[in-house]
Amino acid sequence: MLLLGLLLLLLPAGAELSGSAAPLRGPAHASPSTPPRLLLPQPALERGAPGVASARSAEPAGGAGGGGGPGEPAAAEHPHHGGGYRVVQWEWSYVQTPYVIAIWLLVASVAKILFHLSQRFTTVVPESCMLILLGLVLGGVVLIASKKQLYQLDPALFFLFLLPTIVGDAGYFMPARLFFDNLGAILTYAVVGTLWNAFCTGFCLYAAKLLGADLMDFLLFGALISAVDPVAVLAVFEEVHVNEMLFIIVFGESLLNDAVTVVLYKVYISFVEVGPQNVQMADYFKGVASFLIVSVGGTLVGLVFAVILGFITRFTKKVRIIEPLFVFLLVYLAYLTAELFSLSAILMTFCGIGANKYVEANISQKSRTTVKYTMKTLASIAETIIFIFLGISAVDKSKWAWDTGLVSCTLVFILLFRAVGVVGQTWVLNRFRLVPLDKIDQVVMSYGGLRGAVAFALVVLLDAEQVKAKDYFVATTIVVVFFTVMFQGLTIKPLVKWLKVPRSTNRKPTINEEIHERAFDHILTAVEDIAGLQGYHHWRDKKSVYRKSELWEAYQKINIRDAISVIDQVGGPGRVQMGSGKRRTRGTAGSRFWFWFFGFCPSVPAALDVCQSPPPLPPSPPGEDSHLPWKGGVGSPPPCVSVEATKIIPVDLQQAWNQSISSLESVSSPPAPAEPVHPRVSALSRLGGSRPASYTGPVGAAPAQALPPAAFCFPERKKKKPVEEEEEEEEPGASQEMQPLMSALKPPGVPQAPPSPQAPPGRRRNPCVYLRSLVTSPPGGGAGPHSHRPTQL
Amino acid sequence: SVSAAHLLRLHQRFQLLDKDSSGSLRSEDLEAALSENPIGVRIVGAFFQLGQEMVDFPSFVRILAHFRPTEKNRTGDGVQPDPGTQMKCPSSVAFQLYDRDRDGKISRTELLQVLREMLGLQVTEEQLQSIAERAIQEANLDRDDTICFDEFRKSLEKVNINHKLSVRFLE
């Protein structure tokens, strides 16, 4: 990282040297006398970086290139190279802006990699601390090298680019139900708590008679320093893993208090500008009114865009590839629109929450994944950059002035008032909450009130003319932010452990819980109805129209999760018997999972010609080779394929698999009725009523080997989402059918982490027989008994 | 343990529900109030004891009092119902929701019925069966293909039932 930093410094030096030799190009050059101007926030520029970067390029390193402007030196240098064609040219100014940005991103990312090199280190020190320290170091380097601070956390950059990514990510993936369940508490803390903090801090600082600044300044400072910061909270709490309720309360508070902060900030700024003596009563009311407008407006903007997004994604079936783009664009536009109207932009988390529900239902699986990972990547990078810049900005001494009294008082006050505020509000809240927040929760909550980059950006935005004490404020803010993020971040983990705070258990949801929780919701609604209350559940259930397939999706997710965990487990004791002969002909004994499947596709006769493309196996990551049974090589103890393992194999391949396994063995066993085939075939035919042709086709054409189901399953997979849903629906269904076959011969050595199915084998006959009647061509007894085969070996 | 104001309000509600003013509610009255609830009929059935046709006001209050949030909120669900009264713990009420024939076990058909009622229009029959199958698999520890009360409670041990099944209205 240091190398990169040095490289950055050398680049402009090099640029200057060659710049002097090259005809000057680009608008970014400016005279060396004006670099300080370029450091100020320039919202007009597309990014803060060019302003900064151009200052860098106008470094005192080279005199010739930067002097005076492009005109004269260019004229002076032209004669040098008037003639020839230059094979390689140094086009620094051309690529300058994106280059610098990319380099910064690279530095941030490499920093992250390096942190995680040491496992022990990362568990103790939260990432945010490390990033700030790194920023400090980098800032120091830059300062030393160039005697002047070149990079700052530009508030425009922060508010326009960095914050939206984080907030968008937070909103989109917010657990909506938990959020709304605790909304009362969250709102209380956000509004009341922040107001309390702001006023108390401001008044007390003023009362301490520091700096001789007036009340308004202190109130302003109190407003911006008292807001809990979402970035910092996310960064620190992410590593601590407290239970969800606690996290959502603190995090929700940090998001929603933005409205309060924005209003207070603006109100006080205008008061400061006007002068404290001119403030009238009406202005206070305007302040309150503007709070309402800001908060409600921000929420509304978010919701409007969420609706638009949901609406648009309904029609994107033909353009799946740009679906993620819609999501990002609209979420970002929501943010910018809120900023446009000076509303609280962070409240567009509601956009994310609202959009999530509809969008997830509308877009394809791949788009969902894309959205998820891109958002998380961007948010992570933004967070990294923010912390690094925080560190860098701290080093610039010219921006701040130290006042010990102010700093220490501020620290004390914010901690004190936060604690008091939390305790007071919790006491009131507990009278209304179902799940009271106990002392430990309160401790964590007050300790977790971290300040972060938002406060810093706001303080940098202050106008030094109006607020005379700005530099002191900047220094104090830096110290406060550092203190909370680093000290509190470092100590919160041991604190949480010491207090035995209930951690998030990461428990896997079971289908039982889902079912019963749903039933409970209905029960509670019923109770409320009976008792004549229009309670929370009453309203919640009224909006249950979008909770249709939640249970089913939960079911699928559980299955998928089981499949993945089984892949991880089966790698150990349980293995599929590597049939020697034919298996080897596949290539290598340790061939990859995918390859094995592909390899078997063509091995199955005729009707499977259709399956050219690999069936996407949604859950199993191809990288899990080491866990895979098939990699274990030949001759491994062959207990069986565990029941669970059968689940991971896509339904359409199960037949192929069984076929191939059976073909490996020459053992003949009494053919059991080919049950597994039928449920799938018939179920598919029932569900896929819209495409009967594709069913009957292969079915009719296939040899009586029960291969057709596999065959026409493949084309299914390639289709769009609604079909995918059916496909996925069938898979667990049929795999459920498969289980009874397996369970009867439960393999000895396989770890049975999920409870083993113990359904009596007889049960499978009933639905299968019924379903069999729906199938046109009764397949031969090929597939069924072969599923037994591996277990017998 | 219920305040007088609440009692009065509940009494008014009781009278409102009691369409024929007979002084006690029949199941039809309650079901009418729960017309929108997909498992309304079951819930009403769970409240009534076996063979009981009518609910008079004290029983009405007692039933609703099941859902009072309890003081001990951080413990697991209270296992022992009050021996003196007829009160059951919330989880047994939930259990009876599934177990209509009161044989102490939830069989697959019963579970299927509940699922069908809750999800019926949105999910197909096969899907329901898969879900039911999976649910029984998960909860079933004694391999009898049904879920008894202990298994039911165990499958929900991570869920704090008391929290889930409490409505704050009888302070």
Side-chain angles (χ1 to χ4, degrees):
Chain A
M1 292 161 285
L2 287 184
L3 289 178
L4 281 171
L6 288 174
L7 187 61
L8 284 170
L9 292 173
L10 291 175
L11 274 176
E16 285 314 308
L17 286 178
S18 59
S20 62
L24 291 172
R25 238 182 257 109
H29 281 204
S31 62
S33 58
T34 56
R37 180 168 57 81
L38 293 164
L39 285 176
L40 290 178
Q42 297 177 16
L45 285 181
E46 197 194 37
R47 287 203 179 232
V52 172
S54 55
R56 193 162 56 73
S57 67
E59 265 280 23
E72 199 182 34
E77 266 90 37
H78 266 299
H80 273 275
H81 302 274
Y85 170 73
R86 299 172 61 228
V87 180
V88 174
Q89 305 181 9
W90 179 263
E91 303 265 355
W92 173 246
S93 50
Y94 182 58
V95 297
Q96 184 173 1
T97 309
Y99 206 92
V100 169
I101 295 171
I103 290 285
W104 270 116
L105 290 178
L106 188 62
V107 166
S109 320
V110 170
K112 271 197 163 200
I113 296 181
L114 289 173
F115 292 154
H116 286 274
L117 279 183
S118 160
Q119 188 65 17
R120 205 166 50 91
F121 202 44
T122 51
T123 49
V124 172
V125 179
E127 217 171 80
S128 40
C129 287
M130 294 305 309
L131 290 172
I132 290 190
L133 285 176
L134 172 69
L136 278 174
V137 167
L138 275 181
V141 165
V142 171
L143 195 63
I144 294 173
S146 67
K147 305 286 181 298
K148 140 179 30 227
Q149 187 52 263
L150 297 170
Y151 297 103
Q152 287 269 339
L153 183 63
D154 182 15
L157 173 70
F158 177 73
F159 281 118
L160 286 181
F161 294 104
L162 297 177
L163 198 55
T165 39
I166 297 182
V167 170
D169 173 57
Y172 199 75
F173 295 107
M174 177 93 75
R177 175 162 171 163
L178 207 54
F179 182 73
F180 285 113
D181 277 354
N182 291 302
L183 193 61
I186 293 177
L187 277 177
T188 312
Y189 286 120
V191 177
V192 175
T194 313
L195 284 174
W196 160 263
N197 278 344
F199 283 125
C200 285
T201 314
F203 277 118
C204 284
L205 280 176
Y206 178 64
K209 295 270 184 290
L210 301 160
L211 294 182
D214 29 294
L215 182 60
M216 278 305 153
D217 290 349
F218 278 121
L219 283 176
L220 177 59
F221 181 61
L224 61 89
I225 200 80
S226 62
V228 180
D229 185 73
V231 179
V233 164
L234 255 185
V236 169
F237 271 68
E238 229 169 28
E239 319 213 345
V240 177
H241 296 300
V242 293
N243 57 7
E244 288 102 4
M245 189 185 72
L246 201 49
F247 172 71
I248 204 82
I249 290 182
V250 179
F251 184 60
E253 176 197 347
S254 69
L255 283 177
L256 294 190
N257 68 14
D258 180 65
V260 179
T261 312
V262 162
V263 168
L264 281 179
Y265 187 76
K266 290 198 163 57
V267 162
Y268 283 133
I269 290 245
S270 61
F271 284 2
V272 164
E273 282 174 11
V274 165
Q277 44 282 18
N278 301 342
V279 173
Q280 297 141 353
M281 252 354 231
D283 292 331
Y284 288 116
F285 285 122
K286 276 199 239 167
V288 171
S290 85
F291 166 69
L292 288 172
I293 293 180
V294 157
S295 49
V296 172
T299 318
L300 275 182
V301 165
L303 288 176
V304 162
F305 274 91
V307 168
I308 295 179
L309 182 59
F311 191 63
I312 286 187
T313 48
R314 278 191 64 192
F315 300 109
T316 54
K317 288 205 175 19
K318 299 275 189 282
V319 282
R320 293 279 183 199
I321 208 77
I322 60 171
E323 269 171 347
L325 189 62
F326 281 119
V327 176
F328 296 130
L329 276 180
L330 281 168
V331 169
Y332 192 44
L333 274 177
Y335 184 89
L336 290 179
T337 312
E339 283 281 335
L340 173 68
F341 292 116
S342 303
L343 304 170
S344 163
I346 296 192
L347 283 189
M348 56 75 106
T349 43
F350 286 107
C351 171
I353 297 178
N356 188 24
K357 265 210 164 320
Y358 303 121
V359 166
E360 292 284 308
N362 281 341
I363 65 181
S364 71
Q365 175 70 24
K366 291 194 180 124
S367 298
R368 250 185 259 153
T369 315
T370 309
V371 166
K372 173 172 170 183
Y373 281 104
T374 313
M375 271 204 169
K376 294 217 172 281
T377 311
L378 287 177
S380 164
I381 285 296
E383 194 180 299
T384 313
I385 293 186
I386 288 179
F387 283 120
I388 290 189
F389 267 109
L390 265 181
I392 291 185
S393 317
V395 180
D396 183 10
K397 279 189 112 93
S398 68
K399 292 279 177 238
W400 42 272
W402 182 267
D403 181 77
T404 320
L406 181 63
V407 170
S408 48
C409 282
T410 312
L411 272 179
V412 166
F413 285 145
I414 60 169
L415 286 174
L416 178 66
F417 288 125
R418 169 114 185 128
V420 169
V422 164
V423 168
Q425 289 168 87
T426 315
W427 181 78
V428 170
L429 275 178
N430 275 344
R431 292 148 73 70
F432 298 106
R433 276 178 62 89
L434 274 178
V435 180
L437 300 162
D438 59 0
K439 300 230 178 345
I440 299 184
D441 290 336
Q442 293 170 34
V443 168
V444 175
M445 271 197 287
S446 43
Y447 202 68
L450 308 171
R451 273 67 168 173
V454 172
F456 180 74
L458 285 177
V459 86
V460 168
L461 266 181
L462 286 177
D463 188 353
E465 320 289 320
Q466 306 276 347
V467 181
K468 305 278 184 308
K470 173 183 169 180
D471 290 343
Y472 296 102
F473 288 159
V474 170
T476 315
T477 312
I478 290 182
V479 172
V480 166
V481 168
F482 272 39
F483 179 80
T484 56
V485 174
M486 297 186 62
F487 181 71
Q488 284 179 267
L490 267 171
T491 52
I492 200 167
K493 233 185 187 175
L495 185 73
V496 159
K497 280 208 196 90
W498 179 53
L499 289 177
K500 301 198 188 29
V501 176
R503 312 290 288 270
S504 76
T505 47
N506 255 9
R507 64 183 167 81
K508 310 177 193 167
T510 67
I511 192 71
N512 269 303
E513 287 176 7
E514 293 284 330
I515 296 179
H516 299 317
E517 286 193 13
R518 264 204 132 186
F520 294 164
D521 281 343
H522 288 307
I523 293 180
L524 285 174
T525 316
V527 169
E528 284 181 357
D529 284 340
I530 290 181
L533 303 169
Q534 301 273 316
Y536 170 59
H537 290 92
H538 178 84
W539 291 114
R540 212 222 269 119
D541 255 10
K542 267 201 185 319
K543 297 211 272 323
S544 65
V545 65
Y546 283 101
R547 298 168 60 207
K548 283 181 197 210
S549 50
E550 260 178 25
L551 195 56
W552 180 247
E553 282 164 7
Y555 173 71
Q556 284 175 272
K557 276 192 201 139
I558 291 175
N559 266 348
I560 288 179
R561 183 251 310 159
D562 267 354
I564 295 183
S565 71
V566 162
I567 287 189
D568 287 346
Q569 288 163 13
V570 177
R575 295 225 181 90
V576 175
Q577 158 95 29
M578 295 305 211
S580 40
K582 205 145 185 192
R583 185 72 187 81
R584 285 257 175 78
T585 64
R586 275 302 129 242
T588 65
S591 59
R592 290 172 53 98
F593 186 73
W594 295 105
F595 178 60
W596 185 78
F597 273 128
F598 303 165
F600 270 110
C601 270
S603 80
V604 177
L608 278 185
D609 283 349
V610 212
C611 65
Q612 298 307 324
S613 74
L617 180 59
S620 74
E624 294 277 336
D625 282 1
S626 52
H627 304 285
L628 294 176
W630 300 275
K631 219 166 152 64
V634 198
S636 47
C640 48
V641 180
S642 79
V643 180
E644 321 307 330
T646 61
K647 283 196 240 170
I648 63 178
I649 303 162
V651 152
D652 34 1
L653 281 184
Q654 268 169 346
Q655 291 317 296
W657 184 38
N658 294 328
Q659 282 295 313
S660 44
I661 292 203
S662 69
S663 66
L664 296 179
E665 309 305 324
S666 54
V667 180
S668 64
S669 73
E675 257 78 326
V677 182
H678 299 276
R680 181 175 34 260
V681 173
S682 54
L684 275 175
S685 60
R686 276 182 62 181
L687 274 189
S690 58
R691 294 176 317 278
S694 61
Y695 284 71
T696 54
V699 167
Q705 281 291 319
L707 299 174
F712 59 69
C713 283
F714 289 135
E716 303 289 357
R717 283 249 172 230
K718 298 187 217 145
K719 297 231 179 84
K720 301 274 180 65
K721 172 145 198 316
V723 181
E724 283 171 8
E725 267 203 278
E726 288 176 28
E727 198 60 25
E728 288 169 335
E729 289 157 7
E730 282 325 292
E731 172 183 346
S735 64
Q736 295 287 341
E737 297 299 312
M738 286 292 287
Q739 282 158 13
L741 301 171
M742 291 304 185
S743 65
L745 313 154
K746 194 161 71 138
V750 175
Q752 292 287 327
S756 53
Q758 296 299 329
R763 183 186 102 43
R764 65 185 152 91
R765 296 189 194 268
N766 302 335
C768 301
V769 167
Y770 160 66
L771 294 169
R772 187 206 289 250
S773 59
L774 297 177
V775 181
T776 53
S777 67
H786 303 307
S787 56
H788 290 282
R789 206 57 59 72
T791 65
Q792 293 166 358
L793 300 167
Chain B
S1 48
V2 181
S3 75
H6 284 294
L7 270 181
L8 191 59
R9 192 156 57 89
L10 284 178
H11 191 69
Q12 286 169 348
R13 178 71 185 167
F14 184 81
Q15 282 171 336
L16 195 70
L17 287 174
D18 190 7
K19 301 274 183 325
D20 55 1
S21 304
S22 61
S24 52
L25 293 177
R26 288 167 297 132
S27 48
E28 292 82 19
D29 297 328
L30 287 176
E31 284 164 22
L34 299 180
S35 51
E36 286 180 2
N37 201 315
I39 50 174
V41 177
R42 281 194 168 251
I43 296 175
V44 172
F47 283 148
F48 285 99
Q49 303 285 18
L50 211 57
Q52 191 185 5
E53 287 295 323
M54 320 278 255
V55 169
D56 57 354
F57 185 61
S59 317
F60 181 69
V61 175
R62 222 175 283 129
I63 290 174
L64 289 179
H66 283 187
F67 295 97
R68 242 186 332 176
T70 61
E71 266 63 43
K72 25 185 199 311
N73 279 312
R74 284 222 177 238
T75 63
D77 70 333
V79 176
Q80 319 301 338
D82 280 351
T85 70
Q86 296 256 349
M87 279 180 65
K88 308 172 277 226
C89 59
S91 45
S92 66
V93 172
F95 188 75
Q96 276 174 355
L97 193 85
Y98 294 97
D99 187 22
R100 278 198 98 161
D101 55 0
R102 310 290 166 97
D103 61 354
K105 296 181 194 290
I106 305 176
S107 68
R108 186 177 287 107
T109 33
E110 288 173 336
L111 190 59
L112 259 182
Q113 277 168 7
V114 177
L115 282 176
R116 203 173 290 128
E117 285 169 19
M118 282 206 292
L119 302 173
L121 296 174
Q122 304 144 1
V123 178
T124 70
E125 189 63 31
E126 283 84 13
Q127 294 171 335
L128 285 178
Q129 283 182 355
S130 309
I131 296 180
E133 177 65 40
R134 172 85 199 211
I136 294 201
Q137 257 180 50
E138 273 180 1
N140 207 354
L141 302 171
D142 54 1
R143 308 174 181 203
D144 60 354
D145 203 27
T146 60
I147 305 180
C148 70
F149 185 52
D150 284 329
E151 289 167 351
F152 180 74
R153 271 224 321 279
K154 192 156 188 352
S155 73
L156 290 174
E157 62 185 354
K158 298 256 175 65
V159 174
N160 198 329
I161 301 191
N162 274 356
H163 286 166
K164 286 263 163 199
L165 282 181
S166 40
V167 178
R168 243 175 209 226
F169 61 97
L170 289 178
E171 239 89 89

